[in-house]
Amino acid sequence: MSLIYLYLFVSGLTLGSLYNVAGLRIPQKKSILSPRSHCPHCLYVLSPQQLIPIVSYIKNAGKCGMCRKKTPSSTRS
């Protein structure tokens, strides 16, 4: 039973991240697929490991892995 809850939790995080990107890009007439997510400060393209919600945010302390500037979660695109 707990495995189902874990699956639902991870699915919710993933879909929430996708909806955030879509909500930010669609009003600006941008594609949700390209360009890939990047740091708004240094334009560093995030690796697949850095796209995992919450885990990567905690691991990098809410900062870009390259320039180490703080990146608000609501502006990731």
Side-chain angles (χ1 to χ4, degrees):
M1 191 67 156
S2 63
L3 192 58
I4 293 172
Y5 289 129
L6 178 64
Y7 174 76
L8 291 174
F9 180 72
V10 171
S11 296
L13 289 175
T14 303
L15 288 174
S17 180
L18 175 65
Y19 296 153
N20 182 44
V21 170
L24 292 171
R25 291 186 181 187
I26 290 173
Q28 298 175 3
K29 307 283 192 251
K30 293 182 180 177
S31 168
I32 62 171
L33 300 176
S34 178
R36 291 191 40 199
S37 294
H38 60 276
C39 171
H41 302 290
C42 67
L43 302 179
Y44 171 71
V45 177
L46 301 176
S47 69
Q49 294 84 12
Q50 293 171 318
L51 295 174
I52 300 171
I54 296 180
V55 175
S56 63
Y57 191 82
I58 292 170
K59 180 182 174 201
N60 291 323
K63 297 178 182 178
C64 172
M66 185 63 77
C67 70
R68 305 302 298 160
K69 289 187 180 178
K70 190 168 180 86
T71 306
S73 59
S74 62
T75 61
R76 290 191 183 148
S77 58

